[in-house]
Short mmCIF file of all heavy atoms in Angstrom, two decimals:
data_model
loop_
_atom_site.label_atom_id
_atom_site.label_comp_id
_atom_site.label_asym_id
_atom_site.label_seq_id
_atom_site.Cartn_x
_atom_site.Cartn_y
_atom_site.Cartn_z
N ALA A 1 -15.51 -9.19 10.70
CA ALA A 1 -14.34 -9.69 11.42
C ALA A 1 -14.30 -11.21 11.34
O ALA A 1 -15.28 -11.88 11.65
CB ALA A 1 -14.39 -9.25 12.89
N LEU A 2 -13.18 -11.74 10.89
CA LEU A 2 -12.93 -13.18 10.91
C LEU A 2 -11.72 -13.41 11.81
O LEU A 2 -10.71 -12.71 11.67
CB LEU A 2 -12.68 -13.71 9.50
CG LEU A 2 -13.89 -13.65 8.56
CD1 LEU A 2 -13.49 -13.99 7.14
CD2 LEU A 2 -14.98 -14.60 9.05
N PRO A 3 -11.80 -14.37 12.72
CA PRO A 3 -10.75 -14.53 13.73
C PRO A 3 -9.37 -14.91 13.18
O PRO A 3 -8.38 -14.75 13.87
CB PRO A 3 -11.29 -15.62 14.65
CG PRO A 3 -12.35 -16.32 13.87
CD PRO A 3 -12.88 -15.33 12.89
N TYR A 4 -9.31 -15.37 11.97
CA TYR A 4 -8.01 -15.75 11.38
C TYR A 4 -7.54 -14.74 10.33
O TYR A 4 -6.46 -14.89 9.78
CB TYR A 4 -8.09 -17.15 10.76
CG TYR A 4 -9.17 -17.29 9.71
CD1 TYR A 4 -8.92 -17.00 8.38
CD2 TYR A 4 -10.45 -17.70 10.08
CE1 TYR A 4 -9.91 -17.10 7.43
CE2 TYR A 4 -11.45 -17.81 9.13
CZ TYR A 4 -11.18 -17.51 7.82
OH TYR A 4 -12.16 -17.60 6.88
N LEU A 5 -8.34 -13.70 10.08
CA LEU A 5 -7.92 -12.62 9.17
C LEU A 5 -7.71 -11.36 10.00
O LEU A 5 -8.50 -10.41 9.98
CB LEU A 5 -8.96 -12.39 8.06
CG LEU A 5 -9.08 -13.51 7.03
CD1 LEU A 5 -10.18 -13.20 6.02
CD2 LEU A 5 -7.75 -13.75 6.32
N VAL A 6 -6.64 -11.40 10.78
CA VAL A 6 -6.29 -10.33 11.70
C VAL A 6 -4.95 -9.73 11.29
O VAL A 6 -4.24 -10.29 10.44
CB VAL A 6 -6.21 -10.86 13.15
CG1 VAL A 6 -7.58 -11.34 13.62
CG2 VAL A 6 -5.19 -11.98 13.27
N ALA A 7 -4.61 -8.63 11.90
CA ALA A 7 -3.33 -7.97 11.59
C ALA A 7 -2.17 -8.81 12.14
O ALA A 7 -2.19 -9.23 13.29
CB ALA A 7 -3.30 -6.58 12.21
N VAL A 8 -1.19 -9.07 11.27
CA VAL A 8 0.03 -9.76 11.69
C VAL A 8 1.23 -9.02 11.08
O VAL A 8 1.09 -8.30 10.08
CB VAL A 8 0.07 -11.25 11.28
CG1 VAL A 8 -1.09 -12.03 11.89
CG2 VAL A 8 0.09 -11.42 9.78
N ASP A 9 2.38 -9.22 11.67
CA ASP A 9 3.61 -8.62 11.17
C ASP A 9 3.96 -9.16 9.78
O ASP A 9 3.85 -10.36 9.54
CB ASP A 9 4.76 -8.91 12.14
CG ASP A 9 6.08 -8.37 11.62
OD1 ASP A 9 6.28 -7.15 11.72
OD2 ASP A 9 6.88 -9.16 11.08
N SER A 10 4.34 -8.26 8.92
CA SER A 10 4.84 -8.64 7.60
C SER A 10 5.92 -7.64 7.21
O SER A 10 5.95 -7.12 6.10
CB SER A 10 3.70 -8.68 6.57
OG SER A 10 4.11 -9.36 5.40
N SER A 11 6.81 -7.38 8.16
CA SER A 11 7.82 -6.33 7.99
C SER A 11 8.82 -6.62 6.87
O SER A 11 9.48 -5.70 6.40
CB SER A 11 8.54 -6.05 9.30
OG SER A 11 9.06 -7.23 9.85
N THR A 12 8.91 -7.88 6.42
CA THR A 12 9.79 -8.15 5.28
C THR A 12 9.29 -7.43 4.02
O THR A 12 10.07 -7.20 3.10
CB THR A 12 9.89 -9.67 5.00
OG1 THR A 12 8.57 -10.18 4.82
CG2 THR A 12 10.58 -10.39 6.14
N ASP A 13 8.01 -7.05 4.01
CA ASP A 13 7.45 -6.33 2.86
C ASP A 13 8.09 -4.96 2.66
O ASP A 13 8.03 -4.40 1.56
CB ASP A 13 5.95 -6.15 3.02
CG ASP A 13 5.18 -7.45 2.88
OD1 ASP A 13 5.80 -8.48 2.54
OD2 ASP A 13 3.96 -7.45 3.12
N LEU A 14 8.69 -4.40 3.71
CA LEU A 14 9.31 -3.08 3.60
C LEU A 14 10.44 -3.07 2.57
O LEU A 14 10.83 -2.02 2.08
CB LEU A 14 9.84 -2.62 4.95
CG LEU A 14 8.81 -2.53 6.09
CD1 LEU A 14 9.49 -2.14 7.39
CD2 LEU A 14 7.69 -1.59 5.75
N ASN A 15 10.95 -4.25 2.23
CA ASN A 15 12.04 -4.38 1.26
C ASN A 15 11.55 -4.71 -0.15
O ASN A 15 12.35 -4.93 -1.05
CB ASN A 15 13.03 -5.45 1.71
CG ASN A 15 13.65 -5.11 3.04
OD1 ASN A 15 14.04 -3.98 3.27
ND2 ASN A 15 13.72 -6.09 3.93
N ALA A 16 10.24 -4.75 -0.34
CA ALA A 16 9.67 -5.14 -1.63
C ALA A 16 9.94 -4.07 -2.70
O ALA A 16 10.01 -2.88 -2.41
CB ALA A 16 8.17 -5.35 -1.50
N ASP A 17 10.08 -4.53 -3.93
CA ASP A 17 10.17 -3.62 -5.06
C ASP A 17 8.89 -2.80 -5.12
O ASP A 17 7.79 -3.34 -4.94
CB ASP A 17 10.33 -4.39 -6.37
CG ASP A 17 11.62 -5.20 -6.42
OD1 ASP A 17 12.60 -4.81 -5.73
OD2 ASP A 17 11.65 -6.22 -7.13
N ASN A 18 9.00 -1.51 -5.35
CA ASN A 18 7.84 -0.61 -5.45
C ASN A 18 6.97 -0.59 -4.19
O ASN A 18 5.76 -0.39 -4.27
CB ASN A 18 6.99 -0.94 -6.68
CG ASN A 18 7.75 -0.71 -7.96
OD1 ASN A 18 8.38 0.33 -8.14
ND2 ASN A 18 7.72 -1.68 -8.85
N TYR A 19 7.60 -0.81 -3.02
CA TYR A 19 6.87 -0.72 -1.75
C TYR A 19 6.23 0.66 -1.62
O TYR A 19 5.07 0.78 -1.27
CB TYR A 19 7.84 -1.01 -0.59
CG TYR A 19 7.32 -0.60 0.76
CD1 TYR A 19 6.34 -1.37 1.40
CD2 TYR A 19 7.77 0.54 1.40
CE1 TYR A 19 5.85 -1.01 2.63
CE2 TYR A 19 7.29 0.91 2.63
CZ TYR A 19 6.33 0.14 3.24
OH TYR A 19 5.83 0.50 4.46
N LEU A 20 7.01 1.70 -1.88
CA LEU A 20 6.49 3.07 -1.93
C LEU A 20 6.20 3.43 -3.38
O LEU A 20 7.01 3.16 -4.26
CB LEU A 20 7.51 4.07 -1.38
CG LEU A 20 7.71 4.13 0.12
CD1 LEU A 20 8.83 5.10 0.46
CD2 LEU A 20 6.43 4.52 0.83
N TYR A 21 5.05 4.04 -3.60
CA TYR A 21 4.69 4.40 -4.96
C TYR A 21 3.89 5.71 -4.91
O TYR A 21 2.94 5.82 -4.14
CB TYR A 21 3.84 3.29 -5.59
CG TYR A 21 3.58 3.45 -7.06
CD1 TYR A 21 4.53 3.06 -7.99
CD2 TYR A 21 2.39 3.99 -7.52
CE1 TYR A 21 4.30 3.21 -9.35
CE2 TYR A 21 2.14 4.14 -8.86
CZ TYR A 21 3.10 3.75 -9.78
OH TYR A 21 2.87 3.89 -11.12
N THR A 22 4.28 6.68 -5.71
CA THR A 22 3.60 7.97 -5.71
C THR A 22 2.93 8.20 -7.05
O THR A 22 3.53 7.97 -8.10
CB THR A 22 4.60 9.12 -5.41
OG1 THR A 22 5.17 8.89 -4.13
CG2 THR A 22 3.90 10.47 -5.42
N VAL A 23 1.70 8.64 -7.00
CA VAL A 23 0.94 8.99 -8.19
C VAL A 23 0.53 10.46 -8.06
O VAL A 23 0.29 10.95 -6.96
CB VAL A 23 -0.29 8.06 -8.37
CG1 VAL A 23 -1.28 8.20 -7.25
CG2 VAL A 23 -0.95 8.27 -9.70
N GLN A 24 0.49 11.15 -9.20
CA GLN A 24 0.17 12.57 -9.21
C GLN A 24 -1.16 12.81 -9.93
O GLN A 24 -1.42 12.22 -10.97
CB GLN A 24 1.29 13.33 -9.92
CG GLN A 24 1.09 14.82 -9.95
CD GLN A 24 2.30 15.55 -10.55
OE1 GLN A 24 3.37 14.98 -10.69
NE2 GLN A 24 2.10 16.80 -10.91
N PHE A 25 -1.98 13.67 -9.34
CA PHE A 25 -3.24 14.09 -9.94
C PHE A 25 -3.22 15.61 -10.08
O PHE A 25 -2.85 16.31 -9.13
CB PHE A 25 -4.44 13.75 -9.02
CG PHE A 25 -4.76 12.30 -8.91
CD1 PHE A 25 -4.09 11.47 -8.02
CD2 PHE A 25 -5.81 11.76 -9.65
CE1 PHE A 25 -4.42 10.14 -7.90
CE2 PHE A 25 -6.13 10.42 -9.53
CZ PHE A 25 -5.44 9.61 -8.66
N THR A 26 -3.64 16.12 -11.23
CA THR A 26 -3.86 17.55 -11.32
C THR A 26 -5.12 17.87 -10.50
O THR A 26 -5.90 16.96 -10.16
CB THR A 26 -4.09 18.00 -12.78
OG1 THR A 26 -5.31 17.41 -13.25
CG2 THR A 26 -2.92 17.61 -13.68
N THR A 27 -5.34 19.14 -10.24
CA THR A 27 -6.55 19.54 -9.51
C THR A 27 -7.79 19.08 -10.27
O THR A 27 -8.74 18.56 -9.67
CB THR A 27 -6.56 21.07 -9.32
OG1 THR A 27 -5.38 21.44 -8.60
CG2 THR A 27 -7.78 21.52 -8.53
N GLU A 28 -7.78 19.22 -11.58
CA GLU A 28 -8.93 18.82 -12.40
C GLU A 28 -9.14 17.30 -12.34
O GLU A 28 -10.28 16.83 -12.26
CB GLU A 28 -8.75 19.28 -13.85
CG GLU A 28 -8.77 20.78 -14.04
CD GLU A 28 -7.46 21.47 -13.59
OE1 GLU A 28 -6.38 20.83 -13.56
OE2 GLU A 28 -7.53 22.66 -13.23
N GLN A 29 -8.07 16.53 -12.42
CA GLN A 29 -8.19 15.07 -12.34
C GLN A 29 -8.75 14.64 -10.99
O GLN A 29 -9.61 13.76 -10.92
CB GLN A 29 -6.83 14.40 -12.56
CG GLN A 29 -6.33 14.48 -13.98
CD GLN A 29 -4.87 14.03 -14.10
OE1 GLN A 29 -4.05 14.24 -13.19
NE2 GLN A 29 -4.55 13.41 -15.23
N MET A 30 -8.29 15.28 -9.91
CA MET A 30 -8.79 14.94 -8.59
C MET A 30 -10.26 15.32 -8.45
O MET A 30 -11.05 14.56 -7.91
CB MET A 30 -7.95 15.63 -7.51
CG MET A 30 -8.37 15.27 -6.09
SD MET A 30 -8.22 13.49 -5.72
CE MET A 30 -6.44 13.34 -5.58
#
């Protein structure tokens, strides 16, 4: 824990390109 590396709001990130990204694995790959 570092006192200046804490959770802060960054809600503008919700509008980022590729904010959501889905990857698929076959059962064998997993």
Side-chain angles (χ1 to χ4, degrees):
L2 293 171
Y4 57 88
L5 291 178
V6 296
V8 300
D9 177 77
S10 195
S11 53
T12 55
D13 290 353
L14 302 177
N15 299 316
D17 297 334
N18 296 312
Y19 165 75
L20 285 176
Y21 189 82
T22 300
V23 64
Q24 182 175 345
F25 289 83
T26 65
T27 301
E28 293 76 25
Q29 289 170 326
M30 183 61 73

